[in-house]
Amino acid sequence: MDAVATRAFESLCSDGVAFHPALLDEARCRQLLDAVGWARDHPTASYRCLSPSGEARLESDLFRWRDVPAIRDLVTDEALLQFARAYLGTDDPVVLEDQWFWSERGSRTDSPWHQDDPYHPLDRPFLTIWIPLTPVPPGLGLRGVVGSHDGPIYAPVEFSAGERTLTGSAWATTPVPDVDAHPDEYVVTDSARDAGDAVLLDSRTLHSAGGECASDFVRLSIRYAHPETTRSPRPWPTASFWESYEWETGERLPATGFPRSSVLAATAAAR
């Protein structure tokens, strides 16, 4: 790692959230923006419109490494993998998920305080790397609560006002605290401003984003897991895509849906 990456990694380890400026250059952001535009026009079964019907749209889709070369190249890029390897403690991280978000001008992108961890029936934390592909509109950057990765796991929240993203029935666990109502109790970071900046998050870190978009706003989240990650059922709703996989408690992530980064890199090199 260079000095900038080292500082980001050290912050990630201590705080559970870190900022890396200009992780991707302008040309790469333009390439990925075009790729997400194509993916938006060719949605998969994981596509969701997260905004209320009739309003400016907030759209999202998952697992586009499977059919979008630019996204496949991104998830196997050393700029991202260096953090996944170091933070997860493995030479060959699993590509858990890629997810794009496209907020149209005038849409609200409210994402309440939450952790990524409870949406996944996994036995250990994972790493999220959030990258805006367009400039971040004022007030809409990803915010994280410093040190919250060392605290409790909170209840998942449904933040789609359109199609639901959670499955399951009633559950009981600790509700997410109202961070904004108690600013003296939390240290909150908010750093990413430009296309290509990156926010690194432990999956247990409380974070939020949102507000009304003055312009179209596009971003990607890439998630990596340790290859020995196994299924650990949750007593609460999890992300609906997990219903597509048949795997038993204690089994490792299915390789067909969650490949090791080295496998994807070899596939990309063979193209």
Side-chain angles (χ1 to χ4, degrees), residues 20-81:
H20 189 297
L23 186 65
L24 303 181
D25 62 24
E26 183 179 347
R28 191 70 177 279
C29 289
R30 286 197 302 268
Q31 178 197 41
L32 285 162
L33 187 60
D34 289 343
V36 173
W38 183 91
R40 188 186 185 203
D41 291 336
H42 300 81
T44 70
S46 297
Y47 169 87
R48 296 289 186 274
C49 178
L50 306 177
S51 51
S53 177
E55 296 187 8
R57 297 174 71 83
L58 164 56
E59 302 169 87
S60 179
D61 206 349
L62 303 165
F63 305 112
R64 299 313 298 265
W65 62 261
R66 296 171 180 168
D67 66 334
V68 182
I71 294 178
R72 185 185 305 119
D73 291 343
L74 177 66
V75 302
T76 57
D77 193 302
E78 183 60 29
L80 282 69
L81 284 177

Side-chain angles (χ1 to χ4, degrees), residues 17-19 113 130 136-146 187-193 197-199 208-210:
V17 56
F19 168 64
W113 289 103
W130 181 88
V136 180
L140 270 64
L142 189 69
R143 300 184 295 159
V145 176
V146 171
V187 177
V188 176
T189 66
D190 179 9
S191 303
R193 292 287 180 270
D197 287 349
V199 177
S208 74

Side-chain angles (χ1 to χ4, degrees), residues 83-221:
F83 295 111
R85 292 193 190 104
Y87 195 65
L88 300 173
T90 175
D91 291 333
D92 200 6
V94 167
V95 177
L96 183 63
E97 179 184 330
D98 65 83
Q99 183 173 15
W100 60 258
F101 297 90
W102 190 301
S103 298
E104 293 181 338
R105 178 181 179 182
S107 66
R108 292 199 60 86
T109 62
D110 299 286
S111 175
W113 289 103
H114 68 284
Q115 298 158 306
D116 288 341
D117 197 270
Y119 298 86
H120 301 268
L122 306 177
D123 73 329
R124 67 191 70 194
F126 53 89
L127 175 67
T128 296
I129 302 180
W130 181 88
I131 306 173
L133 301 180
T134 56
V136 180
L140 270 64
L142 189 69
R143 300 184 295 159
V145 176
V146 171
S148 55
H149 65 307
D150 286 330
I153 296 298
Y154 296 104
V157 295
E158 174 64 75
F159 48 86
S160 170
E163 302 167 76
R164 294 187 63 80
T165 61
L166 296 179
T167 61
S169 55
W171 73 98
T173 189
T174 307
V176 177
D178 190 344
V179 174
D180 294 320
H182 302 92
D184 294 339
E185 298 180 19
Y186 302 95
V187 177
V188 176
T189 66
D190 179 9
S191 303
R193 292 287 180 270
D194 299 319
D197 287 349
V199 177
L200 316 175
L201 284 171
D202 184 296
S203 61
R204 299 164 296 182
T205 298
L206 277 169
H207 58 284
S208 74
E212 185 171 340
C213 287
S215 59
D216 283 8
F217 178 34
V218 184
R219 59 269 189 212
L220 277 166
S221 286

